[in-house]
Every structure is written in structure tokens, then in C-alpha cells.
Amino acid sequence: MNHEQLKKTLRSLPSKGADWIGLKKITSKIKFHSVKNGLPLSNKIYQDEGVQIEVLKNGQFAYSSTQDTSPNGIKLAYEKALFLAESSSKYPIFPFTRETRPQFKNQPSPHDFNQTTSGEIHDVLSLSCDSIKKEKGLIHSEGYAALKETETYHIGLGDEEFYSSKNTIDFSLKAIAQEGTEVQTRTWGNTLQAGPEYFQKELFKKEATRIAKEARELSFAEQCPSEKMDLLLMPDQMILQIHESIGHPLELDRILGDERNYAGQSFVKLSDFGNYQYGSKALNVTFDPTVEKEVASYKMDDTGHMATKEFIIKEGKLLRGLGSLESQLRSNVPGVACGRVSSWNRPPIDRMANLNLEPGEGNFEEMVSSMERGVIMATNKSWSIDDYRNKFQFGCEYAKLVENGRITKTLRNPNYRGISTPFWHSLKEVGSLPTREIFGTAYCGKGEPNQAIEVGHASSVCLFNGIEVFGGV
Amino acid sequence: MENKLTKNIFFSLGLKIFSSLKDHEELTLSLVGEETNYLRFNKAKVRQSLHLIQGNINLNFTSQEKTCSWSIPFQQDLEQTLEKMTTALGHLRTEAASLPKDPFLVKTQNNGPYEKDHEGTLPPDDELVHSILYPGKDLDLVGIYSGGRNIRANMNSKGQKQWFSTTNFLVDFSLYDAVQNAVKGYYGGQLWDQESYNQKISQAKEQLELMKRPRKKVSRGSYRTYFAPAAVSEILTMMSWGGVSAASFKKSESALGPLANNKKSLSPKFSLLEDFKLGLCPPFNEYGELSNDTIPLIENGQLKNLLTNSKTAKEYDLKSNGANQSEGLRSPLIKTGGLKKENILKTLGTGLYLSNLHYLNWSDMRGGRMTGMTRFACFWVEDGKIVAPIEDLRFDESLYNFWGEQLVGLTNFSETFPEPGTYSQRGVGGVNVPGMIVENFSFTL
Ligand SMILES: [Zn+2]
């Protein structure tokens, strides 16, 4: 059905006492390509389309999702949702009102996506594998790319209407090197709003060669020492640190207890917003849906809330939570426009979207020279944190030892561990804008039923004092 | 609502699309479908509810040694679905032609029929909310009910037809007290029995009582530790991720590498196998290859098999054992030992009793070392008596220690945990594992 037919169908539904009826149609196509040692491993295209009917009745939201987008399919789905809302209202978690579904409107202008064949993307990944295999000691190479096109059409019972479309990509290259019995892996990848034009042969060959050389270097490197010292994290590890020990603990639905059976709770309490000192003065964190190319930039969340940039933490002080209008109403804590669905088949829940660490003043060379003894770590390879988001342990692919302000050697199997609040209080300096990079992940997992969603993080390099660092087996 | 996602309709759609194939073209269709009610609750109140009908048909296309696949939504309108399949077939011809030949192509063949419908009884729709939440009405009950029909099927242009459906439910819950002590529980199966569910809630409530004592802060160090079956199942999930996969081993990215290369050994008490007799998932994979009823992986500490799919087998000249594309565990079982339930605390003596673990990851995959957190009901035990619940601890330990020389024993009973995962769709499969006692298990934070 086209947009006009959907509007007509929705608006002809009998209200039967519902305070709000919303309809989201989400259409997506993802092309997955993977290459192993230059040869095709798999090429899959995943096309999906469905609608979600959202009903608010007796203060309860309920959902029904279907791929049957005919008028009859939508009517049946509506009846299911209405029935669920009615039967839930005997056990209400909170009496929700229409104020959690604001008015929204834009002028839909569907656009054409740039197309590529599987072969074109395969060629870029295959060439990358060739560049990796050219380096001495390299035993294995892999490339992966997912190119996604999404269109969302959201309408409400009144004259609410909103259309959006986006292109996102998720990709990685992997190089494995062996020297004697020592085997080491180095990767490069990202998740961004971009289309097939991103897959430039020159860029991929250059990065493939770099990771191959670094994997080789690691296969000769010394084991990372185990001691307390300074730690300089590169942006591609900072994003994981921000994600796990700032993003998740500040989700209001976690603090409200919705996630206690799955993802967990939080060490942060509702009363902490507005006064808790989360970290040192150098820590400034924003929810920023406006950054070009960052994967979770958007104009409106999936509940009809227009998205704006907001400070979450300013000079180390906690100001705002990552919570949708529903969570804000339940908790009385200020939040952001972050009620998001992974697709048409899941209800909206509180998500991170783009959560960025704002740049400081630090210059990379000066930050290194200020380190008496420390380690620089890059690229996450292992992550684990408790359900309250306190005790974490993270591992990286690649590290450099710094002695008396100078980089002296490469280290393999670098890891560090800590506890969120003391760790952020040990943040000494944040790098300036030139050291900032934009990253993202396509697979932040949360929710019951489970939802994997894209989130973006941007960060400069960051220097921490006195961190527990250790090596491999 | 009448759901058109049936065996007859799927197989007839297949026959129609196969008739439009040209010479040298082969097609395999795989269907993943569900009709599910999801009820999410917090404090024994409904947070969100969702009714979902979905199905996706994947067309895996092969022509002249080139292959790619295209997946489309199953629409209740069959003409529309067929039209989408026909369009997809057109795209597949173009996409496949743009790719190089796949030297490790898995040939389309008829692997034989399979048909099984596991019928079940769910709580009635109009009593669903009440059935799930009433038993927890004075409690802080949090979690999710999911129940309905789950389908996995495939057919191919060589005449293969396979179908698996199961009607089942799972209440995956935890119970909290006022100071956020918590215990975890599950009630899952095919036949809903309100009394059994009520009992599960009562048992959890009793266990929560034990958590009332003040928490003990256990300092980092090594302790004799009991892992309840749920905790063992968490450890076992790590084996699907850089563990039992033959492809992972071949590229030196497997924690079982040191075992396969005879650099390390495991305890003769430890045996792990895939056991499709559990009936939790279909024994066929994406290609329709049927596995044996059981696949021994580790037997008495010796490596017997890695999970190997046909593509990996072709690439490395191995024998396939019908593993799925990711070569992950689908229905694993760890063999029980001799430790009786009533002797667990006595045998443990002094140390830790862990009911659940959380957020595991490799700290050194190639060395077999993993890290993770304790979660829910975990206790300090002294001289065979539970003393106090503990503050959460982080562990970091090698599987060659805890399933090696430090493995004291496994319990003589086991528990089955149905797959609770619902990313994109409701999962199938599950695990069956005993509890275990390990000596000198390392806690680092
Ligand atoms: Zn996440």
C-alpha cells in the first residue's frame, strides 16, 4: 500500500476508546557481503517490510506487528493491539497519556538509493584481502560489508505524518599474522551513515596494508606488562568505554528497572541527575543527533519526539538521562529523543543513538610526552561489564609502551580493568578536535524481546591516570 | 487471525518458483517464521505487550558455480509473496553473475525429508496477562513471557522438503526484593501448567529469602567454587564464539586450539556433545543437511570433533557433520557426573556458590581464558553452610583450568534451558548441563 492508502486505512479504524493510534511502516534492504582470503564467503540480500500498530488505551501502550499491509491486515493488527492494551490495563506499570506522543509532521519526499551489485563490493573487499596477504607472515584475511537502506513512514490518528530514509554501512577488514606459535589479529572497521560510494578501493587498500603491517608487528611484540600506570585510549577504544560505562548506565529504562532481567540495572540513581559528579572536569558528554555521517543522527525518534543536541554530562556533572518521553514521565528526570525501534517488529525503548565525548584542548604529542610510564591502546577486542555497569574489563588489539614521555615499543594482548566512577574521575586530559573520530556499532543489544540497533560515538583521544593494565595468558 | 504461514502453502509456493528456473540453476528456500505473543513486565506490571506474525523466505540461488541469496518477507497475500519471489529471482541472476565463482560451493542436493510438528498448549489469550502476573502480584517480578508457534523449514529444486514447527512458551524472569537482591528463574515448555508456573515463582521467592542476610564483600583471589547449571550454561555459550567451530580453528581463532594441537588437556570428567534428541531445534541446517542424533565434541577430555559445515569441509578438506553456517552449538549437552544435590555444599566446603553469570567474553581467546561477572543469587559458603550473599565479583580464568585439572566434579543431575534469545526472531534450541565444582577459580575485581 502507498502512503495515501495507509493514511486512509488508519484513519478509518474505529477508535473504540483508544487515545492514540500510530502506524509505522518500515522498509529495509541490507546487502551483506563477506570475503575470506580474497574469495567469496557469502553474499546475502535481506529485504524486509512490515507495519507496527501502536495503541494507547486506558493508559496502556500495546503493539501489533505484521507483514500483511493490506487494509484487512492492518485492521486485524489493530484489533490485536487494542485487545492487548485492554488486558494490560488491569496490571498497569504507569498511566501513560497522549503527552508522550507529540504532534509531528514533515513533507514526505521518498528518494532513490544508489545501487551497486554484489560483485562491485566483493571486488573492494577481495582487493583488501590481497593487500593483506602481500605482507610477510600474514596467514589469513577477511572482509565484511553490510549496506543498508531504510525507509520509515510514521503516521498518527490525527494528521501526524513523517517520512525519513537513510543509508547506513557497517564494515570490517581482518588480518591475522603468525610468527612461530604467536598468532595476532588486527582489524579496521566502522558503522556510519553512508552509501556504496564509501567503498573506495584506494582507501580500503591503504587500511588493509596498515592493519597487515600492524598484525605482523604484534606477532613479534612483547606481552603487555601487568601494572598500574597511565593509559591513553585512542578513539576506536574510547567509543566502547563511553558506550559501556556512560551510555548504558544512563538509560532511564534501566534505572526504572525494565531491563533488570536481561541487560541489567545501573549504579546511577534517579536522584543523581542534576548533582552527581560522574567524572573529572574534563568529561563533557552530549546526546547529539545532528552530526553528519554519524550512524544514529536523525530528526525524530520513533515516538514522534523531535531530536536535539543535549549535554548529558557537563564538566563531569550528570545533567540528563537517556530516556524517551515515556521514561521522562515515569521518572521525572530530563531526557532526550531516544525512543527507538530496531524494526517494525519491536516496540520503542530507550536507546543511546549518538553519544559523544566533546573535544578538549589536548595535543596528541604533548599528551604522550606528559606520560612518565604508560600504555597507548587502540581498537577494542574484548568487553565485559557487570549488570550495574561498575566493574569492567576491556581488551584491545594493539598497544604502545610509553616510557619517560616517549613511545618505545609495541605491546601485544593489552587489557585494562576498572570501576566506572573512579575511572572517569581519573580522566586527566581530552584531546582536541583534530584527534576526534566518529565511530559506531550496528549491534548494541538490549530489550525484551531483544533488539539490536545502531549507535554512534565520537571521541578524541583521552588520557587516564593510574589504571590497572595487564597482558595475556 | 488465520495465519497463512502453513506447510502446504510454503511447499506449494516453492514448487511454483522452481518451475521458473532455467537449466543449471538451483534454488533452496528456507523459511523462518513465528506467531508470538510477547509480554514484558516490571514489578509484576505490564511494561509493553506485542503480538507479532512474521515470516521470511530466503532464496539461496546457485548458477554456474556462483551463489548468492535474497530474503523476502512472507506476506499473507500469496500472490504478492510469489511476485516478490519472482522479482527476487530476477535480482539473484544479476547479483550472482556479478560475482566470481565460489570454489567451495556447497552443491544443492536432496538430503532427505524431515517433518515434525511439536504441538503445545499455551495460556489462553484472554487470561494471558492474569496467568503470568497474578502469581507475582505482591512481588517485584520482572522479565518476559513469549509464547506461540515457531517455524523452520526449507525445500530445494532437487526435491528436498523439510519442516519443523514447535508451539512453546518461555517465562524468563527474575525476582527482586526491596534492596535489589535478586534471583533468576525460568518456566518453559510445550504444555502450560499454571500450577507448575506458580511453583517456580514460589521457589524463587524462597531462594530470595536467603539473600536477605547482609552481603559479604569477598576480596579478589582464588576460591573453590560451585557453578549451578544456569552458570555452566553461560560458560558454554562462549564455545559458540571462537570455540567449537572448525573454520575458527583453521584460522587460529579458537580457544580449543591448544587442545586440538595437544598443547593443553582437559579433565577426563568433561564431555560435551550436540544432542538433537533433546528436540529443541530441527536437526537440519540452512542447506537442509541433517545431523546425526548426537555429535560428540569432547569426550572424557579428548577432542573428538569440531563443528564443521559443508563449506568449511570443502575448503579445508574435512568431513562435514552438518553444522550450521556459523558452526555454533544448537543443542549442546554436557554429561553429568556423580555429585549428588545433597552433597554440593558439603563437597564445596568453603568457597563460592554461583547461580548465574553475566556478560562473558574472551580475555585471551587463543589461550582459552575468559572473563565475566557473577549475577543474581551468589553466596559465600563456609564449612558446607551458606553464610551470606556476596557483592558481585569479576572472574578471569582459563577453560584449561576449570574444565581441566581444577575440575573437582559435575553434578549427577542436569537442567535444560530453552534458548531465550529473541534478536530479530524467537530462537530455537537450548542447552542441557549439570552443575560443577572447581578448585582455585580466579576472581580479579
Ligand atoms: Zn550496547
Side-chain angles (χ1 to χ4, degrees):
Chain A
M1 274 210 288
N2 66 30
H3 291 176
E4 286 312 308
Q5 289 167 317
L6 280 172
K7 268 196 279 190
K8 214 177 123 217
T9 306
L10 180 76
R11 284 159 198 172
S12 70
L13 294 174
S15 91
K16 294 191 181 171
D19 297 312
W20 160 256
I21 309 171
L23 180 153
K24 274 187 281 286
K25 178 185 173 195
I26 299 180
T27 308
S28 65
K29 187 166 97 184
I30 318 178
K31 300 180 84 171
F32 295 98
H33 308 287
S34 51
V35 172
K36 181 174 171 184
N37 293 321
L39 298 168
L41 182 63
S42 82
N43 289 279
K44 298 181 184 178
I45 292 107
Y46 190 87
Q47 202 180 355
D48 194 22
E49 180 177 289
V51 294
Q52 175 178 86
I53 306 290
E54 177 184 65
V55 168
L56 174 65
K57 187 177 175 185
N58 302 340
Q60 296 311 300
F61 281 108
Y63 299 83
S64 178
S65 292
T66 177
Q67 286 152 315
D68 183 358
T69 59
S70 69
N72 190 46
I74 287 171
K75 199 173 137 268
L76 290 171
Y78 170 61
E79 278 163 12
K80 280 279 178 194
L82 204 58
F83 172 76
L84 285 172
E86 285 163 0
S87 43
S88 300
S89 57
K90 290 169 201 119
Y91 291 85
I93 185 90
F94 188 84
F96 290 107
T97 59
R98 205 24 240 281
E99 69 185 290
T100 60
R101 290 296 178 278
Q103 300 281 333
F104 52 87
K105 188 91 189 157
N106 79 349
Q107 207 52 33
S109 56
H111 90 284
D112 287 328
F113 292 98
N114 289 335
Q115 296 302 323
T116 46
T117 61
S118 298
E120 288 170 81
I121 303 297
H122 170 88
D123 287 350
V124 175
L125 298 175
S126 182
L127 270 174
S128 308
C129 288
D130 294 346
S131 302
I132 290 168
K133 283 300 201 62
K134 256 184 221 150
E135 295 299 317
K136 197 166 171 254
L138 269 289
I139 58 166
H140 185 89
S141 59
E142 272 174 38
Y144 163 80
L147 294 85
K148 183 177 181 185
E149 306 164 2
T150 314
E151 288 179 276
T152 304
Y153 182 61
H154 193 170
I155 48 178
L157 195 54
D159 74 338
E160 295 84 4
E161 180 176 27
F162 202 90
Y163 168 87
S164 64
S165 64
K166 67 177 177 182
N167 262 128
T168 51
I169 57 167
D170 176 40
F171 66 89
S172 64
L173 297 179
K174 180 190 273 191
I176 305 182
Q178 182 165 19
E179 175 59 33
T181 57
E182 188 56 35
V183 181
Q184 285 287 327
T185 301
R186 191 78 177 99
T187 63
W188 171 66
N190 209 342
T191 308
L192 294 166
Q193 286 200 39
E197 71 287 346
Y198 190 88
F199 292 85
Q200 298 293 327
K201 286 178 182 165
E202 286 315 308
L203 171 68
F204 275 71
K205 270 162 70 177
K206 190 184 102 195
E207 294 296 332
T209 306
R210 176 180 64 81
I211 61 169
K213 284 187 194 312
E214 289 178 357
R216 168 89 172 146
E217 189 187 329
L218 284 169
S219 69
F220 287 97
E222 270 178 39
Q223 190 77 255
C224 180
S226 297
E227 59 183 88
K228 223 174 206 175
M229 53 183 152
D230 289 346
L231 177 63
L232 185 72
L233 294 180
M234 300 305 286
D236 62 356
Q237 170 60 21
M238 274 306 299
I239 59 157
L240 190 275
Q241 188 69 54
I242 295 165
H243 183 94
E244 301 287 8
S245 75
I246 294 180
H248 281 304
L250 297 186
E251 289 162 348
L252 293 183
D253 62 345
R254 286 181 75 117
I255 304 173
L256 288 163
D258 293 352
E259 286 284 335
R260 287 176 299 165
N261 184 55
Y262 181 58
Q265 207 168 160
S266 178
F267 67 88
V268 177
K269 297 183 291 296
L270 291 178
S271 56
D272 289 338
F273 290 91
N275 47 59
Y276 185 67
Q277 195 66 30
Y278 205 93
S280 73
K281 292 264 185 207
L283 184 64
N284 288 287
V285 177
T286 58
F287 172 87
D288 193 351
T290 68
V291 181
E292 204 192 335
K293 292 218 178 301
E294 197 164 353
V295 73
S297 286
Y298 51 76
K299 292 214 161 56
M300 184 180 97
D301 77 359
D302 294 316
T303 70
H305 188 194
M306 292 301 153
T308 50
K309 177 175 177 174
E310 304 292 345
F311 269 87
I312 302 297
I313 296 172
K314 200 163 197 174
E315 295 184 347
K317 193 170 156 188
L318 180 60
L319 299 179
R320 205 175 262 274
L322 297 171
S324 66
L325 291 174
E326 286 173 44
S327 294
Q328 292 172 44
L329 196 63
R330 284 166 76 193
S331 65
N332 226 350
V333 164
V336 292
C338 69
R340 302 174 66 202
V341 300
S342 60
S343 191
W344 58 271
N345 57 8
R346 295 287 182 261
I349 55 173
D350 293 351
R351 302 308 304 234
M352 256 175 254
N354 292 336
L355 189 69
N356 299 343
L357 198 138
E358 295 296 311
E361 313 268 273
N363 160 294
F364 180 74
E365 282 75 26
E366 285 170 16
M367 286 164 88
V368 172
S369 56
S370 76
M371 294 163 74
E372 202 175 299
R373 184 169 166 78
V375 173
I376 304 171
M377 291 190 200
T379 320
N380 182 258
K381 92 169 163 194
S382 174
W383 62 99
S384 174
I385 188 163
D386 70 71
D387 56 327
Y388 281 78
R389 301 278 147 173
N390 273 317
K391 294 179 174 181
F392 63 80
Q393 176 168 321
F394 300 142
C396 290
E397 289 180 1
Y398 185 82
K400 293 278 191 189
L401 184 66
V402 178
E403 293 167 294
N404 302 316
R406 291 184 48 198
I407 295 174
T408 52
K409 53 185 125 171
T410 304
L411 300 171
R412 69 178 149 98
N413 304 334
N415 295 269
Y416 64 100
R417 53 171 86 97
I419 296 172
S420 291
T421 301
F423 182 80
W424 288 113
H425 278 270
S426 70
L427 173 64
K428 193 182 161 211
E429 196 175 11
V430 176
S432 60
L433 194 57
T435 73
R436 174 162 146 134
E437 289 181 71
I438 297 171
F439 286 95
T441 168
Y443 298 101
C444 172
K446 184 185 169 182
E448 290 177 307
N450 305 152
Q451 303 194 44
I453 210 164
E454 296 106 344
V455 302
H457 301 296
S459 177
S460 311
V461 298
C462 287
L463 178 61
F464 299 85
N465 285 148
I467 306 300
E468 196 178 329
V469 165
F470 63 100
V473 168
Chain B
M1 193 185 307
E2 193 207 352
N3 187 355
K4 298 216 173 71
L5 196 45
T6 66
K7 199 180 318 185
N8 290 343
I9 284 173
F10 173 61
F11 289 148
S12 73
L13 278 171
L15 292 179
K16 282 186 186 148
I17 193 77
F18 295 150
S19 69
S20 51
L21 290 174
K22 297 175 186 165
D23 280 355
H24 310 297
E25 290 183 344
E26 300 293 349
L27 198 60
T28 301
L29 304 183
S30 322
L31 171 70
V32 174
E34 68 178 302
E35 176 163 6
T36 306
N37 270 316
Y38 291 103
L39 187 71
R40 182 178 206 198
F41 46 90
N42 177 7
K43 302 187 172 74
K45 302 280 195 278
V46 181
R47 172 63 189 99
Q48 276 164 335
S49 54
L50 164 70
H51 176 262
L52 171 64
I53 298 189
Q54 63 174 352
N56 287 86
I57 300 178
N58 186 59
L59 295 82
N60 189 60
F61 175 79
T62 304
S63 172
Q64 286 157 347
E65 294 169 64
K66 298 178 174 193
T67 183
C68 59
S69 71
W70 192 292
S71 169
I72 56 149
F74 176 91
Q75 277 164 318
Q76 297 288 316
D77 183 314
L78 304 178
E79 281 309 309
Q80 271 186 38
T81 303
L82 188 62
E83 200 182 300
K84 278 212 155 73
M85 285 167 82
T86 309
T87 311
L89 182 59
H91 289 312
L92 281 165
R93 289 184 174 122
T94 316
E95 295 288 344
S98 76
L99 287 162
K101 289 183 176 175
D102 180 353
F104 313 121
L105 184 74
V106 179
K107 288 232 158 55
T108 309
Q109 57 184 35
N110 187 341
N111 295 290
Y114 183 87
E115 207 175 303
K116 192 117 200 171
D117 288 288
H118 297 271
E119 301 302 336
T121 312
L122 304 172
D125 273 3
D126 51 0
E127 288 168 28
L128 177 63
V129 175
H130 189 71
S131 305
I132 306 301
L133 298 183
Y134 185 77
K137 67 179 176 356
D138 301 318
L139 305 167
D140 186 356
L141 178 70
V142 57
I144 188 159
Y145 162 88
S146 49
R149 189 146 189 254
N150 224 342
I151 300 167
R152 299 290 184 273
N154 68 72
M155 71 185 295
N156 70 25
S157 50
K158 293 285 190 193
Q160 171 181 291
K161 284 184 185 176
Q162 298 174 342
W163 177 272
F164 171 92
S165 84
T166 174
T167 297
N168 60 13
F169 61 85
L170 176 65
V171 191
D172 179 345
F173 68 91
S174 32
L175 215 51
Y176 280 76
D177 68 12
V179 289
Q180 298 301 299
N181 291 312
V183 299
K184 176 93 182 166
Y186 305 86
Y187 176 54
Q190 313 254 142
L191 299 172
W192 178 265
D193 175 50
Q194 190 66 39
E195 198 40 49
S196 306
Y197 171 62
N198 296 353
Q199 269 174 24
K200 289 271 183 186
I201 300 282
S202 309
Q203 281 164 11
K205 201 176 150 187
E206 278 167 30
Q207 212 189 359
L208 191 58
E209 282 299 311
L210 283 176
M211 303 285 293
K212 291 264 186 302
R213 303 174 215 181
R215 283 185 182 243
K216 180 179 164 73
K217 190 178 161 69
V218 178
S219 48
R220 47 175 107 182
S222 297
Y223 299 100
R224 197 168 161 98
T225 304
Y226 172 69
F227 297 84
V232 174
S233 79
E234 285 288 340
I235 294 176
L236 183 57
T237 59
M238 291 302 293
M239 289 292 103
S240 286
W241 182 15
V244 294
S245 151
S248 294
F249 170 67
K250 284 289 176 183
K251 61 180 173 179
S252 302
E253 281 202 317
S254 166
L256 294 182
L259 180 67
N261 295 327
N262 296 315
K263 296 242 157 56
K264 295 264 183 173
S265 58
L266 293 177
S267 163
K269 297 184 183 111
F270 183 74
S271 296
L272 168 67
L273 55 143
E274 278 275 57
D275 186 357
F276 294 101
K277 296 199 301 297
L278 295 172
L280 299 168
C281 69
F284 53 80
N285 63 10
E286 298 88 339
Y287 308 111
E289 295 165 337
L290 292 156
S291 284
N292 290 343
D293 276 356
T294 61
I295 307 171
L297 300 168
I298 295 166
E299 216 167 75
N300 303 326
Q302 304 289 315
L303 185 69
K304 288 291 166 197
N305 289 290
L306 290 168
L307 288 178
T308 312
N309 67 34
S310 296
K311 196 166 166 68
T312 303
K314 218 158 175 188
E315 180 173 358
Y316 299 105
D317 201 15
L318 303 167
K319 200 167 169 296
S320 163
N321 46 31
N324 61 10
Q325 276 174 18
S326 66
E327 297 179 338
L329 294 163
R330 288 176 282 172
S331 192
L333 178 147
I334 295 177
K335 283 194 183 160
T336 52
L339 180 61
K340 290 184 189 145
K341 200 171 231 163
E342 59 269 27
N343 291 338
I344 292 171
L345 289 175
K346 199 174 75 194
T347 310
L348 178 61
T350 294
L352 292 160
Y353 182 109
L354 308 181
S355 293
N356 301 84
L357 298 174
H358 176 63
Y359 218 136
L360 276 62
N361 205 320
W362 296 110
S363 47
D364 187 340
M365 181 194 278
R366 293 183 177 104
R369 206 180 79 197
M370 62 179 79
T371 183
M373 291 297 306
T374 64
R375 193 179 184 185
F376 297 113
C378 296
F379 302 95
W380 176 251
V381 176
E382 252 173 54
D383 298 327
K385 292 209 171 58
I386 287 183
V387 175
I390 57 162
E391 285 182 17
D392 284 335
L393 283 170
R394 170 168 295 288
F395 70 87
D396 195 339
E397 185 60 276
S398 165
L399 69 95
Y400 294 103
N401 295 332
F402 65 76
W403 282 337
E405 279 185 359
Q406 291 166 208
L407 179 62
V408 175
L410 296 144
T411 59
N412 68 348
F413 62 93
S414 63
E415 282 183 48
T416 300
F417 301 97
E419 168 61 46
T422 49
Y423 284 104
S424 303
Q425 71 254 340
R426 199 152 68 92
V428 293
V431 305
N432 179 279
V433 290
M436 66 179 185
I437 292 181
V438 173
E439 222 163 358
N440 284 323
F441 195 84
S442 298
F443 295 87
T444 52
L445 191 64

